[in-house]
Amino acid sequence: MPYWMILPFVSLFLTALSLHAEPLHKTFSNWQITCNNLNSCVARSFPGDKGLVMTVSRHAGVNDRPLISIDYGNHYSGELNGAPLKDNLLLDGQRLRLDLKHWEVESHHLTTSHAISIDEFLQQVMDAGAIQLLYRPDASISLQGLKAALLLMDDIQGRVNGMSAWVKRGSRSAEDVTPEPEVPVIMPLSHPPLALTRDETTGLIDFGTWRINTDECSLDPQRREVSVAPLSDQKALLLISCEMGAYNVIDLAFEVTRSLPYVAKGVTLTLPFVPPSHTEKQLELVNAEYDASSGALLTYNKGRGLGDCGLATRWQYDGREFVLADYAEESTCDAWHGSADWPSLWTTQPPPTASVEITSQ
């Protein structure tokens, strides 16, 4: 095939590879909304430190899987005392009347994925001021900002002026919405690398301790930790603690040959997007952990010691570099949830059956 016929196909292929929604995070009064690379969005009320929070989530496309929940108590507070929510919620000082036929009802947890029930509930509360507990007035959900957050969600997902919109509903078919972007596929390793021998480990630790240039690090050399793990059958990952704060440690990472003469190359984590709270795509290795059996590198940057805010990432080694697999960030420090439940800004999936071989370079 002539090159002038091949180029358009290559261009289309590369364009398809780069297609993804731009992640976002915004705050409207007492509501925050986060949408990831699949235009899947979650909005929640804050602050949550009084124990009462409402969360609304929805996926992009026709198969939108909406979900709404009201919770009293969480991982940090544990089970709170008090009567069931269903009989003790006020809307602007008046008893909140809920048709709970299609809701999952527990004492301190109300949730539904029933589209009509969600529509009815949102129409009931969207223009109100607050939801509060009858027996604990300081535990309240401010509704200021909910409507703006839902309107942005509708806009991001292409629902405005359509029948599936929550705010600005119109006559356009509910199926006439922006399709959900393709989920990026991450190629895992075909097999775990060979374990390091005792001699390999000792040699690489000594190399990282005495030969790697760490002049830019502020951490006292006596307090630096050096760890090493197999990256492939020919290379290893060297982590050296460089900076230390109250609850975060920043590491330097190097890809090093497993045999003499050692050749080291710095590892840089580059995001496929610029996070809303940042100005660049490069990410520091904070509290890094590496699992050699899966090729997964985890980072966990605490916003404060409690661990209720910050950012957490997972990177997959594909035989050549680390590729972002998951990115979650919580900017609101309100003792509501831990890193496992932080809003997602980036997600991927492994291929159904494919894998890649590690090749030497």
Side-chain angles (χ1 to χ4, degrees):
M1 182 182 295
Y3 77 92
W4 53 267
M5 294 180 65
I6 295 175
L7 285 177
F9 288 102
V10 173
S11 179
L12 287 172
F13 176 71
L14 293 176
T15 300
L17 286 179
S18 66
L19 286 180
H20 66 261
E22 194 66 23
L24 69 83
H25 175 86
K26 289 186 179 295
T27 299
F28 299 97
S29 298
N30 294 106
W31 280 79
Q32 65 176 33
I33 176 173
T34 305
C35 300
N36 67 13
N37 58 310
L38 304 183
N39 278 339
S40 177
C41 300
V42 58
R44 80 164 176 98
S45 63
F46 69 90
D49 52 6
K50 300 301 182 183
L52 189 66
V53 163
M54 184 164 82
T55 307
V56 184
S57 64
R58 196 177 200 181
H59 291 260
V62 176
N63 183 22
D64 56 347
R65 289 104 75 198
L67 185 69
I68 190 167
S69 62
I70 301 175
D71 293 281
Y72 183 50
N74 56 47
H75 168 76
Y76 293 103
S77 68
E79 185 68 26
L80 297 175
N81 296 324
L85 290 181
K86 66 184 182 69
D87 301 317
N88 291 278
L89 291 176
L90 302 177
L91 180 64
D92 290 346
Q94 303 296 315
R95 183 82 66 175
L96 176 59
R97 304 295 179 183
L98 291 173
D99 181 359
L100 297 173
K101 180 180 179 181
H102 298 288
W103 288 66
E104 177 186 324
V105 180
E106 298 177 16
S107 181
H108 292 162
H109 172 71
L110 303 175
T111 187
T112 182
S113 59
H114 189 257
I116 295 177
S117 297
I118 291 175
D119 285 346
E120 292 174 347
F121 176 76
L122 291 178
Q123 291 305 312
Q124 186 179 5
V125 304
M126 198 181 300
D127 293 310
I131 296 172
Q132 63 183 161
L133 271 177
L134 177 64
Y135 51 82
R136 188 184 171 188
D138 66 327
S140 65
I141 298 168
S142 171
L143 298 171
Q144 302 301 311
L146 169 61
K147 193 170 187 177
L150 295 181
L151 178 58
L152 178 59
M153 192 183 299
D154 281 345
D155 185 40
I156 290 294
Q157 297 179 350
R159 304 184 190 279
V160 175
N161 296 323
M163 296 178 67
S164 67
W166 278 336
V167 182
K168 290 187 177 181
R169 185 163 295 179
S171 59
R172 201 176 77 247
S173 169
E175 296 186 356
D176 183 11
V177 295
T178 305
E180 183 178 35
E182 291 292 326
V183 185
V185 174
I186 296 295
M187 302 297 287
L189 302 175
S190 62
H191 61 83
L194 294 174
L196 293 171
T197 66
R198 179 179 298 180
D199 288 344
E200 285 179 321
T201 300
T202 301
L204 288 166
I205 292 290
D206 287 345
F207 177 72
T209 303
W210 305 110
R211 299 294 183 181
I212 293 287
N213 184 0
T214 56
D215 291 344
E216 62 187 83
C217 296
S218 65
L219 189 61
D220 189 307
Q222 299 299 320
R223 300 181 63 193
R224 291 178 195 161
E225 293 185 3
V226 179
S227 64
V228 64
L231 195 59
S232 72
D233 293 346
Q234 295 79 31
K235 298 177 182 179
L237 179 67
L238 199 63
L239 294 176
I240 304 174
S241 55
C242 182
E243 313 280 345
M244 180 177 291
Y247 33 80
N248 288 322
V249 175
I250 300 176
D251 292 314
L252 297 179
F254 298 89
E255 181 184 281
V256 187
T257 53
R258 291 173 59 159
S259 58
L260 291 168
Y262 295 125
V263 178
K265 181 177 72 172
V267 172
T268 302
L269 299 181
T270 303
L271 297 165
F273 67 100
V274 178
S277 58
H278 303 263
T279 58
E280 59 184 14
K281 292 184 176 181
Q282 268 60 53
L283 189 74
E284 290 182 316
L285 282 84
V286 182
N287 300 324
E289 295 182 8
Y290 180 64
D291 179 11
S293 64
S294 65
L297 176 65
L298 307 178
T299 73
Y300 177 38
N301 189 343
K302 291 184 178 182
R304 62 178 184 174
L306 184 62
D308 58 334
C309 56
L311 70 89
T313 68
R314 179 173 66 89
W315 301 76
Q316 179 67 49
Y317 186 66
D318 66 0
R320 297 181 303 277
E321 62 181 349
F322 285 100
V323 180
L324 181 66
D326 293 290
Y327 182 109
E329 184 168 4
E330 176 58 80
S331 59
T332 302
C333 303
D334 63 348
W336 180 246
H337 49 199
S339 59
D341 299 311
W342 289 349
S344 165
L345 280 86
W346 190 270
T347 188
T348 60
Q349 68 178 15
T353 56
S355 59
V356 296
E357 296 284 346
I358 303 176
T359 57
S360 60
Q361 295 181 0

